[in-house]
Amino acid sequence: MRNEKSLKIKSSRSELCSRFGRICFSVLFAVFAIMASAQDKSVSGTVIDETGEPVIGATVMVKGTKNGTATDIDGKYALTTPPSATLVFSYVGYTTQEIPVGGRNVIDVTLKESRELLDEVVVVGYGTVRRRDLTGAVSSMKNSDVVVAPTNNVMEALQGKIAGMDITKSSGETGSDVNILLRGSRSIYGSNEPLFIIDGIPGSYSQVNPSDIESIDVLKDASSTAIYGSAGANGVVIITTKRGEEGKAIVNFDAYYGFSGDVNYKHGMLGDEWLAYHREAYKYINGDYPTDNATLMGNPEYTSALEEGKWIDWVDLASGRRATTQKYALSVSGGTQKARIFASTSYSKEEGLLPNDELDRYTLRLNADMEINKYATIGFTSNLTYSDHDRGVKNTFTKSLTAFPLGDAFDEDGNLNHRFIDNQDSPLGDFIENQFANNTKSTYINSIGYLDITPFKGFKFRSQISAILSNSRLGQYWGAQATANQPSYAKSPFAQKTHNNNWAYTWENILSYNADIKDHSFGAQFITSYNKNTNEQTIAGSGGFDVDTWQFHRLLSGSGSQYTYSDYSRTQKMSYAFRVNYNYKGRYLLTFSNRWDGVSWFSEGSKWDSFPAGAVAWRLSDEEFMESTRNWLSNAKLRVSYGITGNSGGTGAYVTQTQAYLYPNGGVTVGGKPVQFAQYTGTYAGSTLGWEKSYNWNVGLDFGVLNNRIDGSIEWFRTETKGLLYKRTVPITDGVTGWGSPLSRWENLARTENHGFEFTINSRNIVSKDFNWSTTLTATWSKERIKELPGGNLISESLFVGAPIKSIYGWKYAGIWGTDDDAELMKKYKVEPGYIKIETIENNGDGGVHAYGDNDRMILGHQNPNWILGLNNTFKYRDFDLSVFMMGRFGQTIQSNLLGYYDAKNSRTTNQISGVDYWTEDNQGAYYPRPGTGDKQSKVMPSLRVVDGSFAKIKNVTFGYTLPGKLTQKALVERMRLYFTAYNPWIIMNDSKLDGIDPETGGSDAFPTYKQFVFGINLTL
């Protein structure tokens, strides 16, 4: 009974608790429902600009949430939000506003035009300036523009994105650099690449980790570059690396891994194609096809390999390895008001198509700034790069292309055969173990220290000193079976070591003063700069080794071909400069500068020169008479500049001195005994050698419309370079020779000129809550020519007055002679059916009908393009992002070395390019000449190499996804982005003969480029 009663009591209590729970839950649900209905309310309104026009597509978000909407065509919006929420109103070109709801149902907003774009700080020579106050032609890129697609080469990331800058990648070798021109070529023998300033000091961009870069500013006109004087003739690229900022520590980790796709290279003929070619060549030489394979091959071993089908695709074997790239970068930044640091480290590894083409690179950076007191700040910038590079050689590809394609490439154990068939050595001999080595280990250190003093408002003094130390060791070994070309003085096997040491320091002092007096703003800078550069090189080699495994590590073990060489050079440069700026009401801007440079290597009386420049700018959009345009014209500024810059034109230390070589005991005897004697060599002394000087005009218009939703610039430029440093051959009649051969002497003789237009347009096509689409278009049209050469055209170097520097000169292809052509006419030209037809030049009234000769050569085109285009589209939908970058070069001519490997000769052991459309009696509309005719028309065969090099390509496509913050923050990760990038996925060329070749390489026969696919991750902690 007691147990039953107890159970009843427990049951009653349980039922009571259950009922109570249900009542409490119902009450709480009702309370929350009432609270929710009380909190959520409808808010609506209209968003207009300062002129009263509705802002279409403005984003209205509830702060801290993803709840939001966009305004309609009338600028109206409506959404539901808690009464205590804050609404965030934003639109491109306007200042973002945050407005508390405060219980209101209607909130109307007037967005004000943002000055952020115009107030953006741009780095110029020895200082910074707001973009609105800029008087020169300057293009800028931020870190996000540089790292949007993964790359180890920062300049490759800029390809097609800077109007006027022509960047091409001519090789797929690991660590290969790019070719850079800014507004064309000016110098004939000197470098035409721009000057690179790294954190205020001249340096090497290739030693900078792209992830460490904060911004890149490209100075293009003389008013911007003349402050660098003799170094700024080809433009200036200023790279500013990241520095620490006040606040909590921010850690970033980036990693990616990529692999190659299709290789852009030609292959040799195989199978029926190879057999058909050689049967046609045999027929041309012998009058009929061969009766059997033995007759065709002429070698029993070759015949046996043919009948057994032992075909070898040597190009496929050479480039068969999948090229890979990987990189891991870690950085941390942060600090207090008094001290801030940025530190980073990275490791990257590239494996090329060849087994002996690999690069490992390690970088370390530490940038620090410390405020001593309110008047003084000190800091330093340091960058260390170490690389270990194994390099293959380009003739691996060219020899594989032309190698005999029959035999046994490998032995029974899978090892490469050096002699793969009778009398034929493998083109892959460098891959045989211990037969070839080409290894470079290098260390690069760049350290900069500075002191800033600001004793009173507007005044600043900076003293900075930098030291660059670089050291490299190149070790090389050529075994008896190696295919790489050896030095001319080498005895196989041969080993060699080359040590290069460079140390340089630069000390600069910059005094700046800025003042504002009512509507007037003044600025002035005074600069001194001193640079000293020293280079040393030592080479030691030896030959005749008995053991290949020693390679280049035991030079004394060689039995012959001892070789030693050493060199030393030192240059010094001193500079003084000043620059003044004036600004009235922000509308009228004036800049003037002058720099005096003095160098050690020019002639006495010509060592020093000055490089002045000036610019004016007028902000039309700020004028009162432009009031009526303010509803659509956000910005309009007209700029005009003129200046003089200089170039040392390929010269270096000691070019003004006659060079001689002392021969110790040989060649000359006196009294029957050998004696020492000296002989002129190299260059002969010049007494008046000075600077190349470029005289530059630039007219530009900066514009922004629809509240800077569309902005950009248009530039016209013209540069005339006078006194070009020209390496002139001294006539033998002057009595100045080296072993009876004429010497060269540097003189200021030639003149060049280039001009063109640049266009940059940025457009925010769609800006909404969830979807954004922006486009950047860059276009450059340019033309260059040589205006004057000593003695007129220099045909041996393809230099012609009135033509570009990089002109292509030769015979102009006009087709192939056929059996239907007039036989008598062919006799006059001394050709036969299947021969190349070229355009001839009339000679002594013959109407151009004569045997082909050197006088029939003409200018066929130029390597520099008429047009360079870049188009970048960026899409963002919620957490997804997509960028597609396209580029094109049009109007350029390519003289393709690769196409030249079809030689139409009758050689069984020399292969031809696969896929060639050659002439036969049944195929008389072909482009290439008849097989077997190559030896008889070898003079004009180079005409086949010249083709239209115009092309367009999708350079890269990047697709990314950023994980939601709520998810990543649980793992203590602030931001995580995953991405995929495809490089060179699509290429279209104007000339079909370039199919299978990347025209960007200029028809190079060296390391081919390839498609590449990369997967990566960005983490912020």
Side-chain angles (χ1 to χ4, degrees):
M1 289 292 294
R2 183 176 297 175
N3 291 337
E4 290 179 5
K5 189 174 183 180
S6 176
L7 288 171
K8 288 181 179 179
I9 292 173
K10 288 181 179 179
S11 176
S12 299
R13 287 178 179 175
S14 176
E15 184 178 353
L16 180 62
C17 290
S18 178
R19 288 180 180 179
F20 181 77
R22 286 196 296 269
I23 293 171
C24 289
F25 178 79
S26 299
V27 171
L28 288 172
F29 181 81
V31 169
F32 281 122
I34 294 170
M35 289 177 64
S37 63
Q39 287 178 346
D40 290 341
K41 62 183 304 177
S42 179
V43 178
S44 61
T46 304
V47 180
I48 60 174
D49 62 18
E50 293 172 286
T51 65
E53 294 294 321
V55 180
I56 305 170
T59 300
V60 185
M61 296 289 296
V62 179
K63 187 175 181 180
T65 74
K66 290 189 176 182
N67 180 25
T69 186
T71 57
D72 62 17
I73 193 170
D74 298 316
K76 297 183 181 298
Y77 73 94
L79 77 169
T80 301
T81 178
S84 60
T86 298
L87 298 184
V88 181
F89 298 84
S90 62
Y91 191 70
V92 174
Y94 294 90
T95 301
T96 299
Q97 294 188 37
E98 296 185 3
I99 301 176
V101 174
R104 290 175 291 178
N105 294 320
V106 178
I107 300 177
D108 295 328
V109 176
T110 300
L111 292 182
K112 296 182 179 180
E113 182 181 345
S114 173
R115 296 285 177 177
E116 182 180 352
L117 179 64
L118 300 180
D119 290 337
E120 179 186 54
V121 174
V122 177
V123 180
V124 294
Y126 301 103
T128 60
V129 65
R130 293 187 306 170
R131 184 167 291 280
R132 64 178 293 115
D133 297 332
L134 198 60
T135 58
V138 180
S139 295
S140 301
M141 306 291 287
K142 299 302 180 185
N143 174 264
S144 57
D145 303 310
V146 175
V147 299
V148 64
T151 178
N152 276 324
N153 191 311
V154 59
M155 295 310 296
E156 188 176 0
L158 266 60
Q159 189 176 37
K161 298 177 181 179
I162 301 291
M165 179 172 276
D166 185 17
I167 301 175
T168 56
K169 187 175 179 64
S170 59
S171 172
E173 182 184 13
T174 61
S176 59
D177 220 332
V178 293
N179 305 310
I180 307 170
L181 286 178
L182 188 57
R183 294 186 167 181
S185 301
R186 301 163 181 80
S187 182
I188 294 177
Y189 295 109
S191 171
N192 285 291
E193 287 201 350
L195 169 69
F196 288 89
I197 302 295
I198 315 296
D199 290 319
I201 298 294
S204 171
Y205 72 85
S206 62
Q207 305 293 343
V208 180
N209 178 11
S211 301
D212 293 344
I213 293 174
E214 180 67 26
S215 65
I216 300 176
D217 297 278
V218 181
L219 317 185
K220 296 186 280 190
D221 71 325
S223 72
S224 304
T225 64
I227 194 68
Y228 290 103
S230 59
N234 302 319
V236 179
V237 179
I238 300 178
I239 297 177
T240 304
T241 60
K242 296 176 180 177
R243 308 200 75 83
E245 297 181 359
E246 182 180 351
K248 72 171 186 177
I250 299 175
V251 179
N252 287 293
F253 174 75
D254 302 318
Y256 64 76
Y257 178 85
F259 56 90
S260 64
D262 295 339
V263 178
N264 299 308
Y265 204 76
K266 295 288 188 181
H267 286 250
M269 292 180 178
L270 295 174
D272 292 341
E273 183 185 24
W274 185 91
L275 196 59
Y277 172 87
H278 286 286
R279 284 173 57 82
E280 290 292 338
Y282 184 95
K283 178 183 179 181
Y284 174 76
I285 299 297
N286 299 284
D288 202 354
Y289 292 114
T291 56
D292 52 33
N293 288 338
T295 304
L296 174 67
M297 303 304 289
N299 182 306
E301 192 170 339
Y302 296 174
T303 304
S304 176
L306 173 65
E307 292 178 348
E308 293 178 27
K310 293 183 176 181
W311 296 102
I312 308 172
D313 187 339
W314 290 109
V315 172
D316 191 52
L317 292 179
S319 60
R321 187 171 83 158
R322 188 174 296 280
T324 63
T325 179
Q326 55 186 302
K327 183 177 180 179
Y328 311 91
L330 178 68
S331 69
V332 59
S333 65
T336 65
Q337 182 179 358
K338 294 289 186 179
R340 299 165 300 279
I341 68 163
F342 172 83
S344 73
T345 184
S346 72
Y347 166 71
S348 62
K349 183 179 183 65
E350 297 179 48
E351 295 180 333
L353 298 171
L354 301 181
N356 56 0
D357 184 22
E358 295 186 2
L359 171 63
D360 292 273
R361 177 175 289 169
Y362 308 81
T363 69
L364 182 65
R365 174 175 293 277
L366 180 61
N367 297 349
D369 306 278
M370 180 172 291
E371 185 178 311
I372 301 174
N373 53 48
K374 65 179 181 179
Y375 303 112
T377 301
I378 62 172
F380 65 86
T381 300
S382 62
N383 181 39
L384 183 149
T385 302
Y386 172 79
S387 62
D388 186 351
H389 196 183
D390 288 310
R391 303 183 65 177
V393 292
K394 79 167 189 176
N395 69 7
T396 300
F397 292 98
T398 56
K399 288 187 177 182
S400 296
L401 180 63
T402 59
F404 186 57
L406 285 165
D408 295 304
F410 300 93
D411 62 20
E412 295 179 353
D413 297 323
N415 300 312
L416 279 169
N417 284 319
H418 173 57
R419 181 62 57 88
F420 64 92
I421 201 169
D422 182 45
N423 205 34
Q424 297 296 311
D425 294 337
S426 173
L428 307 183
D430 292 348
F431 301 162
I432 299 174
E433 188 176 6
N434 295 322
Q435 285 302 299
F436 177 74
N438 186 325
N439 175 262
T440 301
K441 287 180 167 61
S442 61
T443 303
Y444 174 91
I445 301 173
N446 183 6
S447 295
I448 305 170
Y450 76 87
L451 169 65
D452 281 346
I453 300 175
T454 53
F456 51 86
K457 183 180 179 181
F459 181 93
K460 181 180 179 180
F461 172 74
R462 166 171 283 209
S463 183
Q464 61 185 21
I465 187 167
S466 77
I468 295 177
L469 304 174
S470 64
N471 173 276
S472 68
R473 187 275 294 148
L474 168 62
Q476 296 169 286
Y477 180 74
W478 297 267
Q481 298 177 356
T483 54
N485 295 328
Q486 299 181 9
S488 58
Y489 48 79
K491 174 185 177 182
S492 181
F494 190 80
Q496 180 171 285
K497 274 190 175 183
T498 303
H499 288 271
N500 286 293
N501 292 283
N502 168 263
W503 55 98
Y505 71 85
T506 301
W507 182 27
E508 295 185 328
N509 296 283
I510 307 150
L511 183 64
S512 305
Y513 181 72
N514 295 281
D516 295 326
I517 304 174
K518 294 184 178 180
D519 293 331
H520 305 271
S521 296
F522 303 89
Q525 287 182 312
F526 301 91
I527 302 147
T528 66
S529 178
Y530 174 72
N531 172 265
K532 186 175 183 179
N533 192 304
T534 305
N535 289 280
E536 287 188 0
Q537 183 183 69
T538 304
I539 302 176
S542 181
F545 292 90
D546 296 324
V547 180
D548 289 320
T549 54
W550 290 341
Q551 302 212 321
F552 51 80
H553 298 295
R554 292 187 175 182
L555 297 182
L556 287 178
S557 299
S559 59
S561 295
Q562 301 289 332
Y563 177 79
T564 58
Y565 173 83
S566 63
D567 194 18
Y568 171 89
S569 67
R570 173 178 289 177
T571 59
Q572 298 182 79
K573 181 178 179 180
M574 185 70 202
S575 304
Y576 304 93
F578 76 88
R579 177 172 55 205
V580 293
N581 304 300
Y582 172 69
N583 178 338
Y584 177 64
K585 288 187 175 181
R587 299 179 192 171
Y588 314 108
L589 310 167
L590 170 67
T591 300
F592 179 77
S593 67
N594 196 16
R595 176 161 174 147
W596 293 266
D597 280 339
V599 296
S600 60
W601 59 87
F602 281 149
S603 302
E604 292 295 335
S606 300
K607 293 181 182 291
W608 284 88
D609 216 327
S610 65
F611 305 95
V616 294
W618 177 26
R619 283 185 54 80
L620 293 89
S621 54
D622 284 1
E623 295 289 357
E624 294 182 1
F625 62 79
M626 298 290 288
E627 183 72 29
S628 61
T629 66
R630 301 246 170 104
N631 61 335
W632 63 272
L633 183 63
S634 311
N635 175 43
K637 181 171 67 176
L638 181 66
R639 297 176 280 102
V640 180
S641 67
Y642 176 78
I644 302 172
T645 54
N647 193 343
S648 57
T651 60
Y654 322 124
V655 295
T656 57
Q657 300 177 15
T658 299
Q659 300 174 29
Y661 186 83
L662 181 64
Y663 292 83
N665 289 305
V668 174
T669 58
V670 176
K673 296 181 179 181
V675 296
Q676 291 185 340
F677 73 99
Q679 177 66 50
Y680 289 142
T681 183
T683 56
Y684 190 68
S687 59
T688 59
L689 195 66
W691 302 96
E692 290 183 0
K693 299 183 78 172
S694 295
Y695 301 80
N696 309 270
W697 279 100
N698 191 93
V699 179
L701 174 66
D702 299 327
F703 63 87
V705 298
L706 303 177
N707 291 299
N708 286 318
R709 186 156 182 168
I710 301 175
D711 68 81
S713 64
I714 302 172
E715 310 279 352
W716 169 84
F717 63 89
R718 180 182 181 275
T719 300
E720 183 173 5
T721 303
K722 301 179 182 179
L724 260 73
L725 286 158
Y726 187 88
K727 203 170 184 180
R728 188 178 192 180
T729 301
V730 180
I732 295 180
T733 53
D734 285 3
V736 180
T737 64
W739 286 112
S741 300
L743 299 180
S744 298
R745 177 168 59 199
W746 286 99
E747 299 179 12
N748 295 97
L749 293 174
R751 285 198 300 159
T752 61
E753 186 258 354
N754 58 357
H755 64 276
F757 292 91
E758 299 169 358
F759 308 90
T760 301
I761 300 176
N762 304 299
S763 172
R764 290 80 174 172
N765 307 314
I766 298 177
V767 181
S768 65
K769 170 193 169 185
D770 293 327
F771 182 70
N772 293 275
W773 170 29
S774 61
T775 300
T776 297
L777 171 67
T778 61
T780 305
W781 175 86
S782 62
K783 185 177 182 180
E784 65 181 53
R785 65 190 178 109
I786 299 173
K787 295 188 70 175
E788 182 181 307
L789 285 170
N793 297 334
L794 189 61
I795 294 177
S796 61
E797 297 189 36
S798 296
L799 296 173
F800 304 92
V801 175
I805 293 174
K806 296 181 180 180
S807 292
I808 296 175
Y809 182 75
W811 290 275
K812 186 174 182 178
Y813 176 89
I816 300 292
W817 293 96
T819 55
D820 292 337
D821 287 313
D822 185 272
E824 292 300 319
L825 184 63
M826 284 193 287
K827 286 183 180 179
K828 294 179 180 179
Y829 281 110
K830 295 185 178 180
V831 296
E832 301 175 17
Y835 277 40
I836 295 174
K837 183 185 296 184
I838 69 168
E839 289 189 15
T840 55
I841 298 175
E842 184 174 347
N843 183 22
N844 297 324
D846 64 359
V849 180
H850 52 252
Y852 302 152
D854 289 344
N855 291 333
D856 292 315
R857 292 178 296 169
M858 61 186 72
I859 298 173
L860 305 176
H862 46 80
Q863 298 177 35
N864 49 295
N866 296 328
W867 282 94
I868 305 171
L869 299 178
L871 179 65
N872 191 59
N873 281 284
T874 303
F875 307 88
K876 184 172 177 56
Y877 176 72
R878 294 186 177 178
D879 295 326
F880 296 92
D881 61 88
L882 173 68
S883 68
V884 181
F885 174 60
M886 302 177 64
M887 62 162 290
R889 289 162 56 89
F890 306 96
Q892 67 175 350
T893 302
I894 286 178
Q895 191 169 24
S896 173
N897 292 330
L898 195 53
L899 294 179
Y901 284 98
Y902 178 82
D903 60 13
K905 293 183 178 180
N906 181 38
S907 171
R908 304 291 176 270
T909 57
T910 301
N911 206 353
Q912 306 290 323
I913 296 175
S914 177
V916 168
D917 179 26
Y918 54 79
W919 189 96
T920 66
E921 293 177 352
D922 299 326
N923 184 34
Q924 300 204 21
Y927 181 86
Y928 289 92
R930 183 176 187 176
T933 63
D935 287 323
K936 292 185 178 181
Q937 53 175 336
S938 58
K939 175 179 287 189
V940 297
M941 286 295 290
S943 65
L944 298 172
R945 297 165 49 195
V946 182
V947 294
D948 182 353
S950 300
F951 71 93
K953 65 161 61 176
I954 295 180
K955 184 68 177 179
N956 58 67
V957 178
T958 298
F959 177 74
Y961 174 67
T962 302
L963 275 68
K966 290 182 179 180
L967 179 63
T968 60
Q969 288 170 8
K970 291 179 180 180
L972 303 180
V973 176
E974 190 71 23
R975 179 177 180 271
M976 178 186 292
R977 175 176 175 265
L978 307 174
Y979 65 87
F980 166 76
T981 297
Y983 283 99
N984 296 319
W986 180 78
I987 305 174
I988 183 170
M989 56 283 295
N990 193 51
D991 196 315
S992 61
K993 290 182 288 299
L994 293 174
D995 286 347
I997 304 174
D998 187 351
E1000 188 179 339
T1001 66
S1004 170
D1005 59 358
F1007 292 83
T1009 59
Y1010 42 81
K1011 293 181 175 66
Q1012 191 175 39
F1013 306 98
V1014 182
F1015 296 87
I1017 184 172
N1018 306 129
L1019 291 176
T1020 300
L1021 306 179

